[in-house]
Amino acid sequence: MTSVLANGRSRGYVEILQLVRQKDAVIFTFAFPALLTVLLGLIFDTPVMPGSPTTHSQVFAAGMIAYGILSTAFISMGVGIAVDREDGTLKRLRGTPITAGAYFLGKVVLVFFAALFEVLLLLLVGVLMFDLPLPSGSRWLTFAWLLVLSVVACTLLGIAASSLARSARSAPAVLNLPVLVLQFTSGIFVHIATLPPAMVNVSALFPVKWMGQGFRSVFLPDALAAQEVAGSWEPGRTALVLGAWCVIGLVLSLLTFRWSRS
């Protein structure tokens, strides 16, 4: 176990160095969710209710943190592993002390590094452009466990989903499709109160809906919980669902992970 942790940390350091050396990838990875937040916020900059101090742009800014994590963890992870598999990186690692567990841990380290910067950028956009109020007191604790569970779940699911792509070239298309659909059906790109109940019920089976709802509960007034599907923030259920997806993602990763394409 000690060797897995040590090798995972070492691999995570290597992954971070490889990321920061790819300036174009860094800019695209971090800037795209922030750009979408700006566009949606400027288009829907109206009060959520007559007389309410909270605007739709603030609702989007809070929920878009979920998309930023999903983009950083799920998409980048799935595409990155598909590239590692195709260019022979995984095959070379197989001949080293790096086990699958250490490789997964290294990827989690990379994603936490990238996700923290992504979330900071999104918060900067939300606060400076749309007056998104920062949380206080126990809400920071809620923010912390939401961030951890969301990053772990999306990373592990990205590892598992990488096996769906037959090549590195097809990986972005394969992984972006479910992400794009879930952004609309989970209340990230569209206010969840306007979605058909059947659509929301289906999206509730996946983690994105709960990630968006959780981050809205951190940054928005409690009065807006009435606009959620259940009429409340449901922190306990959010933690259970995201925790369950962490376990599901780990199982799927172990079952589907391949060191080579063959």
Side-chain angles (χ1 to χ4, degrees), residues 131-170:
D131 295 322
L132 181 70
L134 291 176
S136 60
S138 62
R139 290 197 175 196
W140 279 116
L141 179 61
T142 301
F143 176 82
W145 64 255
L146 272 169
L147 181 64
V148 171
L149 290 179
S150 298
V151 168
V152 172
C154 291
T155 301
L156 292 172
L157 290 173
I159 293 172
S162 68
S163 63
L164 298 176
R166 298 183 64 86
S167 67
R169 182 176 297 180
S170 66

Side-chain angles (χ1 to χ4, degrees), residues 96-151:
T96 71
I98 299 292
T99 62
Y103 178 73
F104 293 172
L105 182 58
K107 289 295 187 182
V108 171
V109 171
L110 168 66
V111 171
F112 265 108
F113 172 82
L116 286 175
F117 279 92
E118 182 68 75
V119 170
L120 286 174
L121 179 58
L122 290 171
L123 287 179
L124 189 65
V125 170
V127 171
L128 295 182
M129 294 197 64
F130 307 116
D131 295 322
L132 181 70
L134 291 176
S136 60
S138 62
R139 290 197 175 196
W140 279 116
L141 179 61
T142 301
F143 176 82
W145 64 255
L146 272 169
L147 181 64
V148 171
L149 290 179
S150 298
V151 168

Side-chain angles (χ1 to χ4, degrees), residues 32 53 55 90 97-98 116 176 201-202 215 218 224 230 245 247:
F32 189 61
T55 63
L90 286 180
I98 299 292
L116 286 175
N176 270 292
N201 290 337
V202 173
F215 285 114
V218 171
L224 290 185
W245 274 106
V247 175

